[in-house]
Amino acid sequence: MTTPDVAIVGGGIVGTTLAVELARRGRRVVLHERGVVAAGASGRNSGAVWRPTDRVLEALYLETLGRYRALPADLAAHLPPGAPARRFRLGDEPAGLLTLGFDEAGLA
């Protein structure tokens, strides 16, 4: 095994996307995840990818969502057939977002 150029700790949204981007740019990357990719806060607890209420950030959201949806194919191309990280996927339909508050005008 060759020595990696970069070691990333954590296979959440940020760590996994960073690993893919660096690998696309020719870096040798090792991603350390104690469980399954996106099985923690970024994948199951909060979803962490949602459409912002700020319209200026919408382009960034759409780019992030596109890259996130491309991760399963990118991972499969670089991982052995039995690797647990190959099971990573983002659902096809949004789960929705519940917003609570006291200010009806602000919530609208």
Side-chain angles (χ1 to χ4, degrees):
M1 180 174 178
T2 60
T3 303
D5 297 315
V6 180
I8 298 171
V9 178
I13 291 172
V14 174
T16 305
T17 304
L18 180 59
V20 169
E21 288 299 317
L22 289 170
R24 282 183 180 159
R25 296 170 189 202
R27 299 290 191 261
R28 293 181 312 259
V29 180
V30 62
L31 176 65
H32 297 279
E33 170 56 48
R34 69 177 166 191
V36 177
V37 171
S42 60
R44 296 199 181 130
N45 293 339
S46 66
V49 177
W50 64 79
R51 181 169 251 125
T53 56
D54 182 348
R55 294 188 191 278
V56 174
L57 297 175
E58 187 160 11
L60 179 60
Y61 159 78
L62 293 172
E63 176 72 18
T64 301
L65 187 60
R67 289 178 182 227
Y68 200 47
R69 290 199 186 282
L71 282 176
D74 289 342
L75 286 171
H78 297 285
L79 294 173
R86 288 182 70 133
R87 293 193 303 265
F88 162 78
R89 86 179 219 41
L90 182 64
D92 295 331
E93 295 296 321
L97 182 64
L98 174 64
T99 304
L100 302 174
F102 294 103
D103 180 7
E104 287 187 38
L107 289 170

